[in-house]
Amino acid sequence: MTGSHAFSSSLSLTNRNKTMFILSTPPTFFADPTLRVSSSKPSSSSSIYMRSATPPSPVAAASCSSSSLFSLKVKARDNLASPKDFPAKMAATVSSRTFLNAQNEQELLSGIRKEVEAGSLPPNVAAGMEEVYNNYKNAVFQSGDPKADETVLSNMTVFLDRIFLDVTDPFVFESHHKAKREPFDYYMFGQNYIRPLVDFRNSYVGNMPLFIEIEEKLKQGHNIIFMSNHQTEADPAIISLLLEKRLPYIAENITYVAGDRVINDPLCKPFSIGRNLICVYSKKHMLDDPELIEMKRKANTRSLKEMAVLLRSGSQLIWIAPSGGRDRPDPHTGEWVPAPFDASSVDNMRRLVDHSGPPGHVYPLAILCHDIMPPPMQVEKEIGEKRVISFHGTGLSVAPEISFSETTAACESPEKAKEAYTKAVYDSVIEQYNVLKSAIHSKKGLEASTPEVSLSQPWN
């Protein structure tokens, strides 16, 4: 999923006669991790995601009032068509099962071109679909799976079908989006799509006992905040894939603070629909269109209130990336490191959970998965980034909860306390990240463990 600074300015929310100023940030898949979902008949593969006989409709859950919906008016590039230019032409679609009926690669790619010719698929989206197909195919074949061709065709027929359905009938996200599991199970779809890209033999989880402790606290009604770095659009899927065998409750119930791009990009939306999200407009893109600034701010206020309501109910696990966006390599060294955390974002999220009522805890979380789906080297304004995809090992680690009172006891002012706490959280993420990097990139495996970060492979 994918993200950047959630709110462009401090927002106030009155709760129990206390005013909290919130500035949070976003980023922005349940089976045996070694399972390869494939089918010799791709046209029937979608049935593994269906929970009823009702034909899937990606907008079935969008029947709420317009005031509660979270949508973005995306201006297309001058030389590219926008999906919003096409609704009047949708009756011209070649077939509602153009992609699910494809029996081989030729038929699948031919279906993309036929829909463009029929005027039912924007050329820029079609180009992205074809590019993703080729990149995904190459990545899955890197795994050495003898059934890679079947896996690619099975997963890509469903993926392209979901993209096409959303272009013809766009799904609109609410400020608090709950993962859509039926009649089409978008969560399972995302799991099975990303799974073949993960080299589980070279993937690791740090401090599994802490994750187990966190699940117990959730079941006791506590709130948990993961302060994490953010690497790719696939972060939510990677987190779930690495935890689902031992901790399916956590894998399925994380709520991600997600930037607007992951809920508007046609190639990203099908995965986002399968996750629990708090949808926000990112600070990095807040000023892209002056006409939309006020609308975005109001939407972010609504999202903030949704988050406060969630936390008051207890047993919430929220993932947030205080860096304000995805990590990128150092331009001089080429080394990937977690981007620095924004102190205001960390502090305001901490205060939000502290004032929510139920006990709350903040844990530093590190994720390493940039090799699988690296972001563009620079932040791009336009939606529709190039998707580079690879088969690679991944890593996830959590560190002990960091106490604000203990960390800031010697600080002379609130500002210094805020900076000290942010540094403590960020330093913990860096420490964990370096252990994961040693295990995966330096190929030290489990021997990369330290007294602070104990690595394991819980799927074995």
Side-chain angles (χ1 to χ4, degrees):
M1 298 271 127
T2 268
S4 47
H5 288 291
F7 304 108
S8 63
S9 59
S10 295
L11 303 173
S12 63
L13 177 66
T14 302
N15 178 27
R16 299 182 181 180
N17 299 320
K18 295 181 180 180
T19 301
M20 296 172 286
F21 293 91
I22 310 302
L23 177 66
S24 60
T25 62
T28 87
F29 256 91
F30 194 76
D32 186 332
T34 61
L35 177 65
R36 303 292 187 189
V37 178
S38 61
S39 170
S40 58
K41 294 182 179 181
S43 61
S44 64
S45 64
S46 65
S47 63
I48 66 174
Y49 307 112
M50 300 302 293
R51 294 197 174 189
S52 75
T54 307
S57 171
V59 293
S63 59
C64 51
S65 65
S66 59
S67 63
S68 67
L69 299 179
F70 190 95
S71 60
L72 176 65
K73 299 176 181 177
V74 181
K75 288 189 174 181
R77 304 177 193 175
D78 293 339
N79 62 333
L80 294 178
S82 164
K84 294 193 176 184
D85 297 334
F86 282 75
K89 301 180 181 180
M90 285 309 157
T93 179
V94 176
S95 167
S96 61
R97 298 183 64 83
T98 294
F99 302 106
L100 292 181
N101 284 339
Q103 296 296 311
N104 53 53
E105 177 181 297
Q106 183 178 359
E107 291 182 9
L108 193 64
L109 297 179
S110 175
I112 296 176
R113 294 158 194 154
K114 288 178 180 178
E115 293 296 352
V116 173
E117 292 170 1
S120 53
L121 188 62
N124 58 318
V125 176
M129 292 165 73
E130 191 162 343
E131 178 184 69
V132 166
Y133 175 85
N134 290 321
N135 290 345
Y136 185 76
K137 173 185 174 181
N138 292 337
V140 175
F141 271 78
Q142 290 173 19
S143 70
D145 181 0
K147 294 186 177 181
D149 54 344
E150 296 178 11
T151 299
V152 170
L153 192 59
S154 176
N155 287 344
M156 285 305 302
T157 53
V158 179
F159 182 31
L160 298 185
D161 174 68
R162 290 295 115 181
I163 296 172
F164 183 63
L165 284 177
D166 192 72
V167 168
T168 59
D169 198 356
F171 183 89
V172 182
F173 289 80
E174 298 180 57
S175 53
H176 174 213
H177 168 76
K178 295 183 180 180
K180 188 168 171 56
R181 303 297 302 269
E182 54 186 27
F184 179 87
D185 194 336
Y186 280 89
Y187 175 86
M188 276 298 299
F189 152 71
Q191 289 284 87
N192 292 329
Y193 183 88
I194 299 296
R195 181 177 288 108
L197 304 177
V198 178
D199 180 0
F200 285 97
R201 294 167 300 180
N202 296 302
S203 295
Y204 305 92
V205 173
N207 298 331
M208 193 64 186
L210 265 179
F211 281 110
I212 296 173
E213 174 187 307
I214 286 168
E215 181 173 86
E216 289 302 313
K217 287 183 177 179
L218 288 169
K219 292 179 178 179
Q220 294 168 11
H222 296 209
N223 289 320
I224 304 294
I225 305 297
F226 281 154
M227 295 279 187
S228 175
N229 67 310
H230 176 29
Q231 296 224 304
T232 76
E233 293 174 331
D235 284 5
I238 300 301
I239 292 171
S240 291
L241 285 168
L242 297 183
L243 295 179
E244 64 184 5
K245 187 70 176 290
R246 288 287 303 278
L247 299 171
Y249 180 85
I250 286 182
E252 296 191 54
N253 287 284
I254 301 179
T255 297
Y256 295 86
V257 181
D260 52 278
R261 299 172 77 79
V262 300
I263 63 171
N264 286 287
D265 189 317
L267 273 64
C268 198
K269 285 182 69 176
F271 302 104
S272 300
I273 293 172
R275 313 304 305 187
N276 302 309
L277 306 175
I278 294 291
C279 303
V280 298
Y281 288 104
S282 64
K283 182 177 181 180
K284 288 184 177 179
H285 299 284
M286 183 64 68
L287 306 180
D288 287 354
D289 186 340
E291 296 179 1
L292 300 179
I293 294 175
E294 188 58 29
M295 179 275 292
K296 292 178 180 181
R297 286 175 175 164
K298 288 181 179 178
N300 283 350
T301 301
R302 188 162 59 245
S303 297
L304 171 65
K305 292 178 179 178
E306 291 279 5
M307 189 186 299
V309 170
L310 271 181
L311 291 170
R312 283 199 293 272
S313 67
S315 296
Q316 299 301 313
L317 174 54
I318 296 179
W319 178 98
I320 191 166
S323 62
R326 287 172 287 181
D327 303 332
R328 285 176 167 82
D330 183 286
H332 303 294
T333 66
E335 289 290 321
W336 290 75
V337 294
F341 286 0
D342 178 78
S344 293
S345 300
V346 171
D347 186 64
N348 288 314
M349 189 66 199
R350 176 193 63 79
R351 289 192 286 135
L352 178 60
V353 73
D354 282 350
H355 287 80
S356 64
H361 313 272
V362 175
Y363 289 86
L365 187 82
I367 184 168
L368 191 159
C369 62
H370 62 80
D371 301 279
I372 282 184
M373 205 176 291
M377 291 299 99
Q378 305 294 330
V379 177
E380 298 180 353
K381 284 188 177 182
E382 299 291 349
I383 286 179
E385 66 186 53
K386 180 180 178 66
R387 262 74 182 193
V388 178
I389 307 172
S390 298
F391 173 77
H392 206 277
T394 62
L396 179 72
S397 179
V398 69
E401 174 186 4
I402 296 182
S403 167
F404 179 78
S405 59
E406 293 178 7
T407 304
T408 62
C411 295
E412 300 174 352
S413 68
E415 193 63 29
K416 289 184 178 180
K418 182 168 65 174
E419 295 290 342
Y421 187 71
T422 299
K423 183 178 185 302
V425 174
Y426 177 72
D427 287 349
S428 176
V429 171
I430 288 287
E431 180 181 25
Q432 296 176 80
Y433 185 86
N434 287 336
V435 173
L436 295 174
K437 185 167 68 172
S438 178
I440 299 166
H441 289 166
S442 299
K443 302 189 182 303
K444 293 184 178 180
L446 297 175
E447 293 182 0
S449 296
T450 67
E452 291 74 28
V453 182
S454 176
L455 301 177
S456 64
Q457 295 180 314
W459 45 88
N460 289 335

